[in-house]
Amino acid sequence: MDTEIGSLDACKPRSTDICCPSRNGGVSAVQGSDDFIISSPSACTLGGHLARRLVQIGVNDVFSVPGDFNLTLLDHLLAEPGLNLVGCCNELNAGYAAEGYARSRGVGACVVTFTVGGLSVINAIAGAYSENLPVICIVGGPNSNDYGTNRILHHTVGLPDFSQEVRCFQTVTCYQAVVNHLCDAHELVDTAISTALKESKPVYISVSCNLPAIPHPTFSREPVPFSLSPRISNQRGLEAAVDAAAEFLNKAVKPVMVGGPKLRVAKACDAFVELANAGCYALAVMPAAKGLVPEHHPHFLGTYWGAVSTGFCAEIVESADAYLFAGPIFNDYSSVGYSLLLKKEKAIIVEPERVVIGNGPAFGCVLMKDFLAELAKKVKLNITAFENYRRIYVAEGKPLKSDPKEPLRVNVLFQHIQTLLSSETAVIAETGDSWFNCQKLKLPEGCGYEFQMQYGSIGWSVGATLGYAQAAHNKRIIACIGDGSFQVTAQDVSTMIRCGQNSIIFLINNGGYTIEVEIHDGPYNVIKNWDYTAFVDAIHNGEGKCWTAKVQCEEELVKAIDTAVGPKKDCLCFIEVIVHKDDTSKELLEWGSRVSAANSRPPNPQ
């Protein structure tokens, strides 16, 4: 996963100042010898400044839905040579697309209109917040003259108070800027964008609809690229934490390492592997961290997910006498209904800026990447845990061979998806049984992998596929989406076709919300069946490159995949896979029963 901010190849600044992504994850400025004064008054505007700022930080595609409050702003974004405006079918998908874009490029952006657009996109922004992804959410706001009056405007709830939208965004963004005066617009916009980059969280920027096109002296010069000071560890705290952790690990008999999803925001993936190499430790990942740690590493165990871990991984992790978790999130889903067999006194928990060893001590102001890199210099070699794994490991079996024209099974489907993976692909796994089936895929070196585990919003993957593919031109996206999730956000397959994307979408049609069936079944989990290929054909409507297929057996699947990677490799390929409604992974069956038990706990006695 590329988590650096900006792309020098795609970003073409209009002056000699460029914004460079640093390897420490900050954004450092490389300044030219001359300040460039903007000569055209039409360019000395708030709209032009915002557009250039987006290009500077590496955003070359902005996902938008037009509305009367943002139309003038969209004109200025269109006028910026380094920006491409991607019109989406609805605001929710625009937000998901910006979030998917940020997963590949390091930062994303979307533009919607006031309240009706803002309150629609907010679910996607909340997901980006939970996943620590910087998304610049820009909203076209009311005319600046209407603030402080008693006027009632359209696109509102019918009250003269226009603060409802920003108050909703306060809990799902790290900074909110309401720009309704030009005199402080430059400061508000720059503070918002720089805060998003520093905190790796979404921000909200509302721009009054009458301001983007008005020239102002504060925008008369090309914006100076951001120079974000990198966070620095407290040196004494770092040394103390490293000494305590080294002593803890060096006296252990069979220590292991487990990477968590916060490795991304801490920009510590390389340091994590460096420590594993230094100690020859066995290493695994939590499910939401799949793709952050190279699976071709010689001591890689697989995914640690409690009772639904990949084969023999949980046995090694939970039997270890010391485990280092780097950037973990222990929620009810990742802990399989709080059923992990871990002991706090055996654990070193490394957060992005904090280290806790066993039941104590704890060390603050210690950056994860610094801690792991320094710890690598002090640990002793200990290959015991991996040797134990080698002793007990038994290779996974293959699915039963299908009879001719036998109805397709899910395990056979994913056996064939495995063959598609390479350094030139990335997997997007939708919330549902695809979580579990995709976890079992073996990722080749360089293969991307994304899914939204913390927030788990069904339908996320359609917009995320759009955004990720728009950012990662060097990869072909393979999306695994259930029918129930697809029905939530299906429209923006249209935008994928419009953008000329060549993703492969496997639509798994099993007639309902299978993941919810395994948690708590009921008639509400059965959905109306669609003719999905006909639906996508109707969206295609002869414009752009799109190819669809419906498969019901292995022979038809093989033929469809051969076509998708052969004569239709430049097309968006949509393959509807018909499977039995009860055909689920064994991991989902186990996970669903444990999560159900956690959800149905009775109230504690008063």
Side-chain angles (χ1 to χ4, degrees):
M1 300 180 180
D2 181 6
T3 58
E4 293 186 334
I5 296 169
S7 171
L8 295 182
D9 293 334
C11 178
K12 299 176 181 177
R14 298 162 77 178
S15 76
T16 54
D17 291 348
I18 60 174
C19 182
C20 302
S22 72
R23 291 195 61 80
N24 290 326
V27 177
S28 56
V30 180
Q31 299 185 15
S33 57
D34 301 312
D35 288 328
F36 183 76
I37 299 175
I38 302 174
S39 57
S40 170
S42 63
C44 305
T45 61
L46 169 58
H49 176 79
L50 181 54
R52 289 191 296 277
R53 274 299 191 213
L54 292 176
V55 173
Q56 276 188 347
I57 64 172
V59 173
N60 300 107
D61 299 273
V62 177
F63 302 91
S64 66
V65 176
D68 60 329
F69 285 130
N70 69 13
L71 298 177
T72 303
L73 176 59
L74 294 181
D75 287 339
H76 282 74
L77 298 182
L78 278 171
E80 169 56 49
L83 275 186
N84 173 44
L85 210 59
V86 179
C88 296
C89 297
N90 59 59
E91 292 88 355
L92 178 60
N93 276 336
Y96 285 151
E99 191 252 41
Y101 193 93
R103 288 172 180 268
S104 173
R105 192 65 67 87
V107 61
C110 58
V111 182
V112 298
T113 196
F114 187 60
T115 308
V116 291
L119 298 190
S120 179
V121 78
I122 196 170
N123 185 53
I125 300 304
Y129 189 94
S130 75
E131 300 280 327
N132 297 300
L133 295 166
V135 171
I136 316 298
C137 180
I138 304 165
V139 175
N143 186 292
S144 62
N145 297 301
D146 291 325
Y147 282 90
T149 68
N150 204 35
R151 293 171 180 156
I152 295 175
L153 298 182
H154 68 289
H155 290 343
T156 70
V157 295
L159 299 174
D161 177 9
F162 305 149
S163 68
Q164 180 194 40
E165 181 181 78
V166 68
R167 285 187 279 115
C168 290
F169 273 91
Q170 284 174 346
T171 57
V172 296
T173 55
C174 66
Y175 187 85
Q176 307 83 39
V178 178
V179 181
N180 51 26
H181 295 94
L182 283 174
C183 58
D184 61 356
H186 188 286
E187 178 185 2
L188 288 173
V189 168
D190 282 9
T191 302
I193 295 175
S194 61
T195 302
L197 301 182
K198 287 186 289 188
E199 301 297 327
S200 197
K201 294 281 190 183
V203 294
Y204 165 91
I205 303 174
S206 172
V207 178
S208 288
C209 61
N210 60 324
L211 300 184
I214 301 176
H216 193 269
T218 55
F219 306 120
S220 61
R221 289 178 178 266
E222 188 76 14
V224 176
F226 291 123
S227 181
L228 305 181
S229 300
R231 288 185 168 93
I232 300 174
S233 294
N234 179 308
Q235 192 60 35
R236 292 181 63 183
L238 173 62
E239 292 170 359
V242 168
D243 288 343
E247 180 183 1
F248 188 91
L249 292 172
N250 287 338
K251 70 181 182 183
V253 176
K254 44 184 179 179
V256 298
M257 295 174 56
V258 182
K262 292 181 186 176
L263 279 172
R264 188 208 305 257
V265 68
K267 299 177 173 59
C269 298
D270 291 342
F272 181 81
V273 176
E274 181 183 346
L275 174 59
N277 291 338
C280 285
Y281 292 149
L283 68 159
V285 293
M286 299 183 75
K290 186 176 176 71
L292 295 178
V293 174
E295 298 189 4
H296 62 276
H297 190 280
H299 292 170
F300 185 73
L301 303 180
T303 299
Y304 174 64
W305 200 353
V308 296
S309 301
T310 52
F312 307 97
C313 180
E315 290 81 357
I316 296 302
V317 171
E318 293 178 345
S319 67
D321 57 344
Y323 17 77
L324 184 149
F325 279 84
I329 295 178
F330 295 111
N331 61 27
D332 50 342
Y333 275 16
S334 66
S335 67
V336 197
Y338 311 112
S339 65
L340 301 182
L341 301 178
L342 300 174
K343 295 183 178 179
K344 186 177 180 182
E345 61 267 21
K346 294 182 179 181
I348 298 176
I349 305 297
V350 188
E351 297 292 349
E353 297 185 17
R354 184 175 179 82
V355 178
V356 180
I357 300 176
N359 289 316
F363 305 89
C365 300
V366 175
L367 297 184
M368 182 191 295
K369 61 179 182 234
D370 294 343
F371 171 78
L372 296 176
E374 291 301 312
L375 184 57
K377 301 173 184 177
K378 294 199 171 187
V379 295
K380 298 177 182 178
L381 296 180
N382 191 329
I383 200 172
T384 304
F386 186 72
E387 288 177 337
N388 289 344
Y389 173 76
R390 289 282 302 272
R391 290 187 187 100
I392 67 172
Y393 179 77
V394 177
E396 294 181 13
K398 294 183 178 180
L400 295 174
K401 184 174 176 58
S402 300
D403 294 329
K405 301 298 182 180
E406 176 188 344
L408 187 61
R409 301 190 304 273
V410 171
N411 55 14
V412 173
L413 166 65
F414 279 88
Q415 184 182 29
H416 287 280
I417 290 177
Q418 177 68 64
T419 65
L420 291 172
L421 304 188
S422 71
S423 61
E424 297 178 348
T425 60
V427 176
I428 302 284
E430 175 59 80
T431 301
D433 199 21
S434 291
W435 274 6
F436 304 92
N437 288 303
C438 289
Q439 280 292 327
K440 292 181 282 188
L441 294 172
K442 305 294 191 297
L443 301 183
E445 183 175 2
C447 181
Y449 187 91
E450 299 289 348
F451 82 127
Q452 191 196 57
M453 185 171 191
Q454 173 58 39
Y455 201 58
S457 184
I458 65 169
W460 158 85
S461 63
V462 175
T465 297
L466 165 64
Y468 195 100
Q470 197 65 17
H473 300 293
N474 60 329
K475 292 187 183 294
R476 191 173 194 188
I477 312 306
I478 298 170
C480 300
I481 309 176
D483 50 349
S485 296
F486 184 75
Q487 289 194 7
V488 178
T489 51
Q491 306 98 305
D492 271 283
V493 170
S494 170
T495 312
M496 298 178 198
I497 299 171
R498 195 178 185 185
C499 292
Q501 296 179 1
N502 69 336
S503 301
I504 302 175
I505 297 175
F506 288 96
L507 188 286
I508 302 169
N509 184 351
N510 56 11
Y513 300 123
T514 302
I515 190 170
E516 295 177 4
V517 167
E518 302 308 331
I519 296 173
H520 184 98
D521 200 6
Y524 32 75
N525 289 325
V526 178
I527 62 175
K528 172 70 174 69
N529 190 38
W530 293 3
D531 187 340
Y532 293 96
T533 52
F535 175 82
V536 174
D537 287 337
I539 289 175
H540 177 208
N541 197 29
E543 299 178 10
K545 295 181 178 180
C546 178
W547 174 79
T548 64
K550 183 178 297 190
V551 302
Q552 302 186 58
C553 62
E554 186 175 13
E555 294 90 340
E556 293 174 353
L557 175 66
V558 170
K559 182 179 179 181
I561 290 176
D562 288 345
T563 302
V565 299
K568 300 298 182 181
K569 67 179 185 298
D570 295 325
C571 299
L572 179 78
C573 294
F574 183 91
I575 302 174
E576 180 183 354
V577 182
I578 310 295
V579 297
H580 193 276
K581 67 181 181 66
D582 295 324
D583 186 356
T584 65
S585 64
K586 68 180 183 65
E587 290 81 8
L588 174 56
L589 298 176
E590 175 73 25
W591 179 89
S593 63
R594 290 175 182 259
V595 170
S596 176
N599 287 351
S600 58
R601 288 167 294 160
N604 291 327
Q606 299 298 317

